[in-house]
Amino acid sequence: MKLKSARYGADIDFSVNGKTNYYQLKYDKGDLNRNIEILKNGTSICKGRAIGIENNYFVIDDKTGSSDIVRVRVENEVPKADELYPGYSQLYNWSVGEKYDRRGDCWMLFIIALLAIVLFLDIKFPMLFWLLEHRLDVDGGEPSDLYLFGQKVGRILMFIGIPVCMVLTFTLR
């Protein structure tokens, strides 16, 4: 889906299974309860009113006098391709809804990168962190078995921590 604001309202490109429908929503941007016309691929498919209730808007078609806000499916059959496209009310809500430029927490990307770098260095150069920490403390010493075991535990925790941070990137705001 691509949503673009226009001087007359909004343009929405919506694709399902490789087929794209181009919607134009024409309305006056002054009042949220307004007259609206929706065009699909250049053909008018709805002329009516948008009525707001809290933060949701319902488009009432002048011809039918009804809204398309509720869709009911009873059987277990696969929906037709046309049924997968949004309704008038959904299109209108997208066009007047709050716009978010980004989602998630960008700081998680920094943590993911840091964990990935540490994990890469630890796997590529297994003695690096031991040498950095104990180089001056011992003369010709070797890391203990406990240190090597802790290193493996740390690698496992980092392998787990990276996907957890990826999920948190999109769930935290």
Side-chain angles (χ1 to χ4, degrees):
M1 178 179 90
K2 292 180 185 175
L3 171 66
K4 184 173 66 171
S5 184
R7 60 178 165 69
Y8 50 79
D11 290 326
I12 298 177
D13 300 343
F14 194 88
S15 296
V16 174
N17 298 330
K19 181 184 175 205
T20 304
N21 282 337
Y22 304 99
Y23 298 97
Q24 286 183 315
L25 285 80
K26 296 182 178 183
Y27 52 82
D28 180 26
K29 291 189 177 183
D31 181 22
L32 289 178
N33 294 328
R34 59 183 76 131
N35 292 327
I36 181 170
E37 180 180 11
I38 301 175
L39 288 86
K40 175 179 164 183
N41 299 326
T43 305
S44 179
I45 57 172
C46 175
K47 285 186 181 181
R49 296 181 322 274
I51 299 172
I53 299 174
E54 293 183 13
N55 289 332
N56 289 314
Y57 298 92
F58 306 96
V59 173
I60 308 290
D61 192 352
D62 287 341
K63 287 182 184 176
T64 63
S66 64
S67 177
D68 68 338
I69 197 67
V70 177
R71 292 184 180 183
V72 178
R73 187 151 196 86
V74 179
E75 296 179 14
N76 195 16
E77 67 184 56
V78 178
K80 297 175 186 142
D82 288 342
E83 295 174 341
L84 298 175
Y85 289 97
Y88 311 142
S89 299
Q90 183 64 56
L91 289 166
Y92 184 75
N93 278 303
W94 286 337
S95 71
V96 297
E98 292 183 24
K99 312 284 190 280
Y100 294 104
D101 292 335
R102 64 178 172 87
R103 292 182 178 219
D105 187 2
C106 290
W107 285 102
M108 285 293 162
L109 295 175
F110 174 73
I111 294 171
I112 291 169
L114 183 65
L115 287 174
I117 290 169
V118 169
L119 184 61
F120 171 77
L121 289 173
D122 192 38
I123 291 172
K124 184 77 173 166
F125 309 104
M127 298 291 288
L128 176 67
F129 292 107
W130 188 86
L131 289 173
L132 290 175
E133 188 174 346
H134 301 290
R135 179 88 167 167
L136 300 175
D137 294 343
V138 295
D139 188 18
E142 294 281 327
S144 68
D145 290 338
L146 181 62
Y147 179 85
L148 295 174
F149 175 74
Q151 187 179 31
K152 290 178 184 176
V153 169
R155 288 178 185 165
I156 292 169
L157 291 176
M158 283 188 272
F159 271 124
I160 294 170
I162 289 173
V164 167
C165 287
M166 287 175 154
V167 170
L168 290 176
T169 297
F170 296 107
T171 58
L172 295 178
R173 282 196 172 200

